[in-house]
Amino acid sequence: MIQSARGAFDLLLRAVLLAVLATVFAGLGPRGQALAAKDDIWTLQDIRINTEKLYRSATVISKRLDGKGGFLEFQLSGDDMLSSCPGGSEQVRFSWDFFGDVSQLPEGSDVQLGLHGELLHITPPCGGAIAADARTTAIGSKGGSPAVSEEQMTITDGDRFYTGPDTIATRFAFGTNDGGAPTSTTRIIRLDVYDHSSTRPYAYFVLQFGFRGAGMLQVIYLYKGGTDTPFKPPVVTGDGACGFTLGSGILAKWQEFGGEAGLLGCATGNEDEAGRSSTGTTGRYGTFTGGVIIWHRDGPLAGRSFAVHGCIGSAYQGLGGTGSWLGFPVSDEIDVAGGRRGDFEGGYILWNPATGGCTAHRDGSLEFTLEPNTNRPGLDFRDSDLIQEVPELCRDACAADAMCVAYTYVRGGVQGPKARCWLKSAAPAPVPHDCCVSGVRH
């Protein structure tokens, strides 16, 4: 009887212990850490850029900032305070990736991130020396100089985020010595645990980027205690781009065209890297509902952007854009007699308002003959009206088409009011006639 009662007591005690353990483990996260209560959560309120200590020789040309990471691209002028390489420039890109979303952080957690640096382009006489001495780090606010305004500091807990001995800035030595190889490092920032202050509900940590002779820029992640709705920064460089990221060069050209209400309309995606042209030009592009804007990173038009749109834009994109034989645009579209024209590194595209069509042209002066008063009838695979009575337009249209071996230009008034161009898949025999100008591939 006594054994039976003891057995029942043991079963009851075991049940109680299991219930207690279940309650404890229900309050633990995936690593066994206690889940934070509402008062133990810090929520991202803003991501700010402080450029007060950045000199005019360093310019941010593109950026993205959010709770998962971001990037900054800088144009570094050689005409800096040290006159590093007058007349030249260097472009660098810094990016950072958090090991998880940092939009909300429980107290006692670690903010771990990877910092990456990459040299994008050098314009002589610069040789990478400015970029090679660039330094970056991630630091807490504890023990450092305030990165926010004096007014903000009156309501900010400056000791909440702290860092250990790994706060020494990393030098991104991606200059000429190692061929511009990207460099990476890892940093950890810690969120301390102690009682909240009702008068200081804010806290922050900083990503810091410094350049020899060009000063320093800070990216500030500002938090508030509690479970507010996390801040979602607008992913745009400048004032409005329909919610997408545009670098300053493309943004300025878009605004020049009237922005969202203009000819190009809204952006349809984030700015991205453009394909390298056959001449070696690199750059970036932004797409819009009404066309595309392309920015030159290097070459004779470095730093400039041009818009391509409408029929010319569609023809350009259909041929492969910057990676095609046309390469990068070298001007905005212009009005010409009888239509419009878009000029590119490797040729040009003409729009004919009478037909609504566009034709790509490549300079054929070195590839094709120009035979006055000559007709080459037959073996045609395409024909079209020309916007101007210029035989070279027909020759250049032939040069732009891999199928074309010969051409015949017919003067206006012979087959219609407009001059007409006939492209041929082989070279018919020449026939003397003042109606036409013909040519064949050398």
Side-chain angles (χ1 to χ4, degrees), residues 170-346:
T170 295
R171 178 181 175 185
F172 282 86
F174 39 47
T176 54
N177 293 335
D178 59 7
T183 308
S184 299
T185 188
T186 301
R187 289 285 178 266
I188 297 177
I189 303 169
R190 294 180 170 85
L191 179 55
D192 208 345
V193 178
Y194 53 83
D195 292 340
H196 285 244
S197 169
S198 60
T199 60
R200 294 181 179 270
Y202 291 91
Y204 70 89
F205 66 85
V206 176
L207 307 183
Q208 193 163 283
F209 307 91
F211 307 97
R212 184 189 65 171
M216 177 184 70
L217 177 145
Q218 294 174 317
V219 177
I220 304 161
Y221 280 75
L222 182 67
Y223 288 81
K224 184 180 180 183
T227 54
D228 295 350
T229 301
F231 168 71
K232 293 183 178 180
V235 285
V236 56
T237 303
D239 298 327
C242 307
F244 294 102
T245 300
L246 300 177
S248 59
I250 291 178
L251 180 70
K253 177 60 68 171
W254 178 64
Q255 291 171 336
E256 179 185 322
F257 270 75
E260 182 178 347
L263 176 67
L264 295 173
C266 258
T268 59
N270 294 333
E271 175 186 308
D272 205 349
E273 190 71 11
R276 182 186 295 269
S277 76
S278 58
T279 62
T281 304
T282 64
R284 296 182 71 81
Y285 73 94
T287 55
F288 304 84
T289 55
V292 62
I293 296 175
I294 299 171
W295 173 76
H296 292 240
R297 175 179 291 123
D298 43 32
L301 296 172
R304 299 188 62 184
S305 299
F306 302 105
V308 187
H309 48 86
C311 176
I312 291 176
S314 297
Y316 175 59
Q317 296 288 71
L319 288 169
T322 58
S324 72
W325 57 267
L326 283 166
F328 277 58
V330 296
S331 72
D332 293 329
E333 294 178 20
I334 59 173
D335 291 321
V336 295
R340 288 182 65 81
R341 171 173 172 149
D343 288 310
F344 304 86
E345 292 175 311

Side-chain angles (χ1 to χ4, degrees), residues 64-66 68-72 93-98 221:
R64 177 181 64 81
L65 312 168
D66 59 39
K68 296 182 180 179
F71 72 84
L72 292 168
R93 175 187 174 102
F94 289 109
S95 60
W96 57 96
D97 300 292
F98 294 109
Y221 280 75

Side-chain angles (χ1 to χ4, degrees), residues 49-221:
I49 290 184
N50 180 6
T51 60
E52 290 182 359
K53 297 180 181 179
L54 188 70
Y55 306 146
R56 294 180 62 183
S57 56
T59 306
V60 178
I61 58 176
S62 186
K63 67 181 178 182
R64 177 181 64 81
L65 312 168
D66 59 39
K68 296 182 180 179
F71 72 84
L72 292 168
E73 290 186 4
F74 292 89
Q75 177 92 8
L76 306 174
S77 170
D79 298 307
D80 54 23
M81 292 186 67
L82 302 178
S83 297
S84 300
C85 43
S89 65
E90 298 174 13
Q91 289 180 12
V92 296
R93 175 187 174 102
F94 289 109
S95 60
W96 57 96
D97 300 292
F98 294 109
F99 293 15
D101 197 318
V102 299
S103 297
Q104 287 188 324
L105 298 172
E107 289 183 353
S109 62
D110 290 340
V111 179
Q112 189 168 359
L113 67 153
L115 284 161
H116 316 280
E118 182 179 1
L119 177 62
L120 298 178
H121 177 67
I122 295 173
T123 301
C126 292
I130 306 175
D133 203 35
R135 298 172 184 270
T136 184
T137 193
I139 53 177
S141 55
K142 184 175 182 178
S145 300
V148 296
S149 67
E150 292 183 10
E151 181 181 3
Q152 179 70 55
M153 281 304 299
T154 63
I155 54 174
T156 297
D157 183 348
D159 291 336
R160 185 66 68 165
F161 282 102
Y162 67 98
T163 40
D166 63 346
T167 58
I168 298 174
T170 295
R171 178 181 175 185
F172 282 86
F174 39 47
T176 54
N177 293 335
D178 59 7
T183 308
S184 299
T185 188
T186 301
R187 289 285 178 266
I188 297 177
I189 303 169
R190 294 180 170 85
L191 179 55
D192 208 345
V193 178
Y194 53 83
D195 292 340
H196 285 244
S197 169
S198 60
T199 60
R200 294 181 179 270
Y202 291 91
Y204 70 89
F205 66 85
V206 176
L207 307 183
Q208 193 163 283
F209 307 91
F211 307 97
R212 184 189 65 171
M216 177 184 70
L217 177 145
Q218 294 174 317
V219 177
I220 304 161
Y221 280 75

